[in-house]
């Protein structure tokens, strides 16, 4: 029995540690520890809902749009606002731009280096690389020119993330030609994710931390010039995504079939839904969630689907660095930071353990795709079935995707779907404007209320809930995707989603457990926004812990 630790896990947002017990070359026990402490909910107390929308997006620089959007929806639910149709379309566009940025960045520039060794491409035959790209159905590039650039880079000796450590494991399976193709797309992805952010900046004033989503609608009013720029950017990103991302994912699958044999996780999933479809003034919020382009749903171990129920959500803190061991609904938690020590037998993380009806749930792009499939979204069903067949499985057999590679691959179906929707939304906005629709914002008609936003960030299910009295926030709660996925053991000692996914992962070298890293990255964790603190009953101030491991 041996302990294997990855700390810090890089190519993610925030501080994360994975500790594993390895027996006979397989992970048999696991503990995930979030090492970042935050206190955002207290910051927005006694402020207006409009202020909160601008403040809470500072939780994260990767997915600020989702937080601003969620804060605005929570305010609209509290204050009884139904946003105009033009605002719905513009919000979808800016949210979609952020999703595209995040998904492109994740596949190529974060998770990609778990599979692609750029320096191995130096020994590739450029002509063979062209032939292989044709065989894989993925775009070619100037492979000769790229090799010249790589050689200059390698001769420089300052190899940074492209050197040593993981690349020395001997568990990189791609041929030099495949590495050359994917390295070319790695560099193109840097440009394409930038283009996606440019769309968000065009609609939001800047990116990250946009300025135009407000409770009641949007402050962005399109002009002919802006629409022309928007269409050009959307078309360019769509074409690259459509040509490149799914073929590249299938290329990874070709060389790493073993990644289908580990990383399943708990097998229960949740999506709160994202991208609003058209809705009437009197449409219930539950109906809106079911009717979103990526709809809401909770899946049990047998893929049975049900509607989300807010009353079933609790947060357990018995293995986290907070006082007590309560398992209570978010607004009933009186959580106070109390770092003790890192002890996997007691408390070992700043992450709480969210539970739904007493059980952990996996959230994220994979969960959204599974829920959309079970809800019968035509685009998702078609492309998931095509991917299953390409992987050698039967259409409809979703269990084939319950592993590290499947979680990685399914995300690209969502990426293509969003890129396709972006083109549709641009056309829809143009048609609405041509018809004379010039409404983008509606003011609230009351100043008291309670509202909850069930929404999604690129990394999964996002929950913002607020109480408003006299136009000021009296209480605020947030549960973000990685809090679900990085949850510690529950009250019964069951693993959190990522911990469970690590159980059974093969480890050839305990000092370089590359398959464990691949599994962690398949969740795309973000710990910068995974841990928060609120003390609604007393309003007491607190002392921030600045060290990832609790040194005050």
């Amino acid at each position: 029995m041996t302990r294997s630790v990855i700390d810090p896990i890089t190519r993610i947002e925030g501080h994360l540690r994975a500790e594993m017990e390895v027996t006979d070359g397989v992970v048999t026990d696991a503990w995930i520890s979030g090492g970042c402490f935050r206190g955002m909910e207290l910051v927005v107390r006694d402020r207006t809902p409009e202020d909160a929308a601008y403040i809470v997006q500072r939780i994260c620089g990767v997915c600020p749009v989702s937080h601003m959007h969620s804060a605005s929806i929570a305010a609209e639910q509290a204050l009884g606002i139904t946003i105009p149709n033009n605002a719905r379309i513009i919000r979808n566009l800016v949210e979609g731009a952020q999703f595209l940025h995040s998904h492109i960045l994740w596949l190529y520039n974060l998770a990609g280096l778990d599979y692609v060794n750029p320096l191995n491409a130096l020994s590739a035959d450029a002509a063979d690389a062209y032939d292989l790209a044709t065989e894989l159905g993925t775009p070619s590039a100037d492979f000769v020119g790229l090799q010249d650039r790589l050689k200059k880079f390698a001769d420089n000796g300052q190899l940074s993330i492209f050197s040593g450590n993981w690349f020395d494991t001997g568990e990189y399976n791609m041929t030099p030609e495949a590495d050359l193709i994917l390295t070319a797309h790695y560099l193109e992805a840097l440009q394409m994710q930038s283009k996606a952010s440019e769309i968000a900046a065009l609609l939001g004033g800047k990116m990250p931390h946009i300025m135009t989503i407000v409770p009641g609608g949007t402050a962005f009013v399109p002009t002919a010039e802006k629409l022309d720029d928007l269409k050009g950017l959307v078309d360019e990103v769509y074409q690259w995504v459509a040509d490149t991302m799914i073929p590249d994912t299938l290329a990874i699958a070709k060389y790493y079939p073993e990644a289908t044999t580990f990383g399943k996780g708990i097998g229960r999933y949740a999506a709160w839904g994202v991208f609003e479809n058209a809705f009437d003034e009197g449409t219930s919020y539950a109906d809106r969630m079911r009717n979103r382009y990526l709809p809401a749903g909770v899946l049990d171990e047998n893929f049975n689907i049900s509607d989300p129920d807010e009353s079933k959500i609790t947060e357990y803190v018995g293995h986290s660095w907070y006082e007590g061991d309560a398992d209570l609904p978010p607004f009933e938690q009186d959580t106070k930071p109390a770092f003790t020590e890192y002890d996997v037998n007691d408390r070992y993380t700043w992450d709480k353990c969210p539970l739904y009806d007493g059980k952990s749930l996996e959230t994220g792009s994979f969960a959204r795709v599974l829920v959309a499939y079970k809800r019968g979204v035509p685009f998702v069903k078609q492309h998931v079935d095509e991917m299953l067949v390409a992987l050698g499985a039967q259409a409809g057999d979703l269990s084939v995707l319950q592993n590290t590679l499947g979680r990685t691959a399914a995300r690209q179906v969502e990426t293509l779907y969003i890129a396709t929707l972006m083109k549709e939304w641009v056309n829809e906005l143009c048609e609405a404007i041509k018809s004379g629709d010039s409404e983008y914002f509606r003011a609230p008609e009351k100043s008291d209320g309670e509202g909850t936003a069930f929404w999604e960030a690129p990394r999964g299910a996002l929950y913002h809930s607020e109480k408003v009295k006299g136009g000021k926030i009296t209480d605020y709660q947030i549960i973000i995707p990685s809090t679900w996925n990085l949850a510690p053991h529950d009250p019964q000692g069951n693993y959190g989603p990522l911990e469970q996914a690590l159980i059974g992962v093969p480890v050839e070298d305990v000092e370089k457990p590359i398959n464990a890293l691949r599994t962690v990255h398949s969740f795309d964790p973000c710990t910068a926004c995974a841990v928060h603190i609120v003390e609604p009953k007393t309003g007491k101030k607190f002392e921030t812990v600045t060290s990832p491991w609790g040194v005050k």
Side-chain angles (χ1 to χ4, degrees):
M1 185 186 304
T2 308
R3 288 291 172 96
S4 180
V5 177
I6 311 176
D7 180 25
I9 293 173
T10 57
R11 286 183 273 122
I12 66 165
E13 179 81 8
H15 308 277
L16 188 66
R17 170 190 176 101
E19 181 169 346
M20 298 156 285
E21 208 163 75
V22 180
T23 305
D24 298 329
V26 174
V27 175
T28 53
D29 212 344
W31 303 267
I32 293 294
S33 179
C36 177
F37 173 82
R38 304 288 293 278
M40 188 61 74
E41 288 97 333
L42 280 180
V43 176
V44 298
R45 288 188 61 187
D46 300 320
R47 295 179 179 269
T48 67
E50 292 80 9
D51 285 344
Y54 287 98
I55 292 169
V56 297
Q57 68 167 318
R58 266 71 184 175
I59 288 171
C60 183
V62 178
C63 51
V65 176
S66 302
H67 286 286
M68 190 178 208
H69 208 151
S70 298
S72 296
I73 293 172
E76 288 151 7
Q77 293 298 301
L79 304 180
I81 306 169
T82 300
I83 64 171
N85 189 53
N86 283 346
R88 174 190 66 84
I89 301 169
I90 290 168
R91 285 186 179 187
N92 281 349
L93 282 164
V94 69
E95 186 80 64
Q98 176 198 250
F99 268 68
L100 291 176
H101 161 264
S102 184
H103 285 9
I104 294 168
L105 175 72
W106 168 79
L107 178 63
Y108 290 95
N109 309 125
L110 300 181
L113 294 183
D114 295 343
Y115 305 95
V116 180
N117 184 348
L119 294 185
N120 189 46
L122 286 170
S123 59
D125 183 290
D128 289 344
Y130 285 112
D131 291 341
L132 179 60
T134 301
E135 176 190 329
L136 297 173
T138 195
S140 296
D142 179 8
F143 295 137
V144 175
L146 176 57
Q147 281 186 306
D148 289 341
R149 292 168 62 192
L150 283 173
K151 186 175 187 309
K152 291 176 183 177
F153 173 71
D155 290 345
N156 183 8
Q158 299 182 34
L159 303 182
S160 184
I161 60 173
F162 301 111
S163 64
N165 201 14
W166 305 109
F167 295 114
D168 292 343
T169 62
E171 295 184 68
Y172 280 75
N173 302 340
M174 284 191 171
T175 63
E177 289 73 25
D179 277 323
L180 184 59
I181 295 167
L182 271 293
T183 299
H185 296 166
Y186 174 100
L187 296 173
E188 290 174 7
L190 293 172
Q191 295 178 311
M192 286 301 125
Q193 56 92 9
S194 176
K195 295 281 186 181
S197 278
E198 192 175 341
I199 297 170
L202 186 152
L203 297 166
K206 66 186 187 73
M207 182 68 180
H209 310 314
I210 66 167
M211 304 298 291
T212 56
I213 294 180
V214 291
T218 176
F220 174 79
V221 178
T223 63
E225 182 181 6
K226 293 284 188 183
L227 288 172
D228 188 55
D229 291 344
L230 176 63
K231 186 178 188 310
L233 286 166
V234 166
D235 287 349
E236 183 178 2
V237 174
Y238 165 80
Q239 200 59 58
W240 188 84
V241 167
D243 290 343
T244 308
M245 294 189 72
I246 289 181
D248 282 358
T249 304
L250 293 174
I252 291 172
K254 172 184 173 70
Y255 293 99
Y256 293 92
E258 67 275 13
T260 63
T261 64
F262 55 81
K264 175 182 176 179
I266 55 175
R268 297 181 298 272
Y269 308 92
W272 303 152
V274 67
F275 305 119
E276 296 283 16
N277 220 316
F279 57 87
D280 296 326
E281 185 88 23
T283 305
S284 72
Y285 191 54
D287 284 341
R288 281 171 52 186
M289 290 169 63
R290 279 191 296 271
N291 193 42
R292 286 169 175 164
Y293 287 93
L294 285 164
V298 177
L299 294 176
D300 67 12
E301 293 89 341
N302 299 310
F303 296 112
N304 297 315
I305 193 164
S306 59
D307 291 340
D309 182 347
E310 185 175 5
S311 68
K312 294 183 178 181
I313 298 174
T314 60
E315 291 182 295
Y316 171 64
V317 297
H319 289 296
S320 310
W321 288 313
Y322 303 100
E323 290 184 5
D325 58 359
D327 178 18
L328 296 169
F331 274 119
E332 295 180 25
Q333 280 280 11
D334 189 15
T335 47
K336 302 176 183 178
F339 179 82
T340 50
E341 61 180 336
Y342 176 81
D343 182 355
V344 296
N345 296 310
D346 185 15
R347 298 176 190 264
Y348 58 93
T349 180
W350 284 111
D351 285 315
K352 299 176 186 177
C353 176
L355 301 169
Y356 184 87
D357 201 19
K359 296 181 179 180
S360 294
L361 294 172
E362 177 179 332
T363 77
S365 181
F366 186 42
R368 285 192 297 270
V369 169
L370 293 178
V371 168
Y373 189 99
K374 296 299 293 184
R375 290 289 192 199
V377 176
F379 186 101
V380 173
K381 282 185 65 69
Q382 174 191 337
H383 285 81
V384 167
D385 282 341
E386 288 175 357
M387 178 169 283
L388 286 168
V389 171
L391 292 172
Q394 289 187 339
D397 187 2
L398 298 179
S399 65
V400 172
L401 299 175
Q402 289 183 295
N403 48 66
T404 295
L405 181 62
R407 189 180 293 109
T408 301
R411 188 165 181 161
Q412 305 332 308
V413 171
E414 179 179 78
T415 309
L416 180 58
Y417 183 39
I418 295 170
T420 303
L421 289 172
M422 293 286 283
K423 289 170 65 69
E424 295 178 9
W425 292 328
V426 171
N427 293 333
E428 187 180 5
L429 181 60
C430 290
E431 290 301 317
I433 294 169
K434 283 196 293 185
S435 72
D437 188 350
S438 60
E439 188 181 17
Y440 298 90
F441 172 80
R442 291 174 185 166
E445 296 182 357
K446 61 177 184 174
S447 58
D448 296 348
E450 298 181 12
T452 293
F454 284 96
W455 196 243
E456 295 278 324
R459 290 171 174 86
L462 182 56
Y463 169 100
H464 280 238
S465 192
E466 66 182 46
K467 299 178 180 180
V468 184
K469 187 173 181 59
K472 297 292 183 69
I473 292 171
T474 60
D475 209 347
Y476 205 101
Q477 273 290 340
I478 303 169
I479 305 177
I480 64 94
S482 290
T483 305
W484 288 96
N485 290 336
L486 306 181
H489 293 25
D490 72 9
Q492 286 73 46
N494 300 309
Y495 298 107
L498 178 50
E499 292 177 334
Q500 181 63 56
L502 286 170
I503 304 300
V505 169
V507 176
E508 185 172 308
D509 182 348
V510 294
E511 295 183 1
K512 298 176 181 179
I514 184 66
N515 287 321
L517 186 68
R518 289 166 178 155
T519 300
V520 171
H521 278 150
S522 74
F523 283 81
D524 192 14
C526 177
T527 60
C529 56
V531 281
H532 302 283
I533 174 73
V534 61
E535 193 176 9
K537 294 182 180 178
T538 67
K540 290 181 180 178
K541 296 182 179 179
F542 56 84
E543 183 177 337
T544 300
V545 178
T546 56
S547 165
W549 302 116
V551 179
K552 297 181 179 179

